[in-house]
């Protein structure tokens, strides 16, 4: 478990209080019921921006606070506990990481202040099929005059239908690069996709989109995409941690109040053992997730290994906890009136995002020469 400094503790507590009071699960239910096209409440996101959360990893020179990835992970964890729907992870972590790692001073100056203020929403567009496969990207950027011509079909782009800026992974003569594409550019078609978590996802088609020469992120080295994805994966793992913690606490509270056979359920030893096992698994999950975020902040060489471990463990643990959430709530847990189903559905989406457990177990083994 990470040792938090005073600022991080204050940030975590502020996020926890705001999420519980201003963005409870019923707010998420309201977004679901209204069928909002963008999948989140813009007013709630504006408040998050006012509190500075959209600029946590952005340097002060561009309007952020430069508190680091662990700090943003704490905010994502607390927001996930109440299922707060927002583009905070997709825009202020995943897409922002691409600009921080690969952007020039001009590119950072053009986009980061808007992201930090919440006025600009950015989305990372990588996957092109039902499975996460960054090594199989077919999108192509061709050099054309003084710029680029980009064609691509991207699937399951988180917050893609609300984005002003798309960070698109595509092949070019030098390998795989990341390209900055304004969402309103000619040739860009965005189609909303509703998944089981009722959040914002999009399929994006780029048909011969003309881009200037400076659209490509040129810094960061040949493994820029991998570096960006590792940061995005760590952010998703932080969200998954929040889901797991809240699912556990909701289940424990239910067992302490529900009676069966004349006894409170929490008094049955078999259920005590199951809850103790869940608690242990969540604590292990917290250690590896926070360890990955700390490794990113410290710019350690083992970031890929730590992130692969964190995402693999997060998938395994959240899958278990969300199943037990439904199982131990019994019939009420399977109804739409209860919130348990929301956690289960969101869990399954996050398990698949940027690589499922099997993907990261294999990656962890490969990175360690197994």
């Amino acid at each position: 478990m990470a040792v938090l400094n005073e600022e991080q503790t204050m940030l975590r507590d502020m996020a926890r209080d705001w999420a519980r009071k201003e963005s409870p699960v019923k707010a998420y239910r309201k977004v679901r019921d209204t069928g909002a096209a963008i999948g989140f409440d813009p007013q709630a996101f504006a408040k998050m921006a006012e509190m500075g959360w959209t600029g946590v990893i952005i340097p002060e020179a561009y309007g952020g606070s430069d508190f680091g990835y662990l700090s943003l992970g704490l905010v994502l964890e607390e927001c996930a506990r109440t299922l707060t729907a927002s583009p905070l992870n997709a825009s202020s972590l995943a897409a922002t990481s691409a600009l921080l790692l690969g952007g020039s001073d001009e590119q950072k100056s053009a986009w980061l202040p808007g992201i930090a203020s919440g006025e600009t929403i950015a989305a990372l567009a990588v996957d092109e099929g039902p499975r996460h496969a960054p090594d199989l990207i077919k999108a192509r950027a061709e050099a054309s005059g003084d710029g680029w011509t980009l064609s691509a079909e991207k699937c399951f782009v988180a917050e893609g239908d609300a984005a002003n800026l798309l960070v698109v992974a595509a092949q070019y003569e030098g390998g795989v690069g990341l390209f900055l594409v304004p969402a309103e550019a000619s040739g860009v078609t965005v189609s909303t996709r509703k998944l089981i978590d009722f959040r914002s996802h999009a399929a994006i088609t780029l048909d011969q989109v003309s881009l200037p020469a400076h659209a490509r992120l040129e810094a960061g080295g040949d493994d820029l995409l991998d570096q960006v994805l590792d940061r995005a994966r760590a952010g998703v793992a932080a969200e998954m941690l929040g889901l797991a913690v809240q699912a556990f606490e909701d289940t424990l509270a239910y067992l302490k109040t529900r009676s069966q056979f004349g006894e409170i359920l929490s008094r049955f030893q078999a259920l005590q053992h199951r809850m103790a096992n869940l608690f242990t698994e969540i604590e292990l999950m917290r250690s590896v997730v926070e360890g990955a975020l700390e490794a990113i902040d410290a710019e350690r060489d083992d970031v890929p290994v730590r992130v692969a471990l964190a995402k693999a463990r997060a998938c395994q643990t959240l899958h278990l906890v969300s199943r037990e959430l439904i199982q131990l709530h019994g019939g009420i847990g399977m109804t739409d009136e209860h919130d348990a189903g929301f956690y289960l559905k969101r869990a399954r989406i996050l398990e698949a995002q940027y690589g499922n457990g099997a993907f990261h177990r294999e990656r962890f083994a490969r990175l360690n020469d197994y």
Side-chain angles (χ1 to χ4, degrees), residues 52-67:
W53 298 351
T54 48
V56 170
I57 65 171
I58 294 176
E60 294 181 12
Y62 302 108
S65 57
D66 202 13
F67 276 1

Side-chain angles (χ1 to χ4, degrees), residues 273-294:
H273 289 170
R274 287 169 73 168
M275 294 303 293
N277 177 61
L278 293 182
F279 179 82
T280 301
E281 294 295 320
I282 291 172
E283 290 303 295
L284 288 172
M285 177 183 177
R286 178 177 296 281
S287 295
V288 295
V289 170
E290 292 183 348
L293 293 166
E294 284 185 318

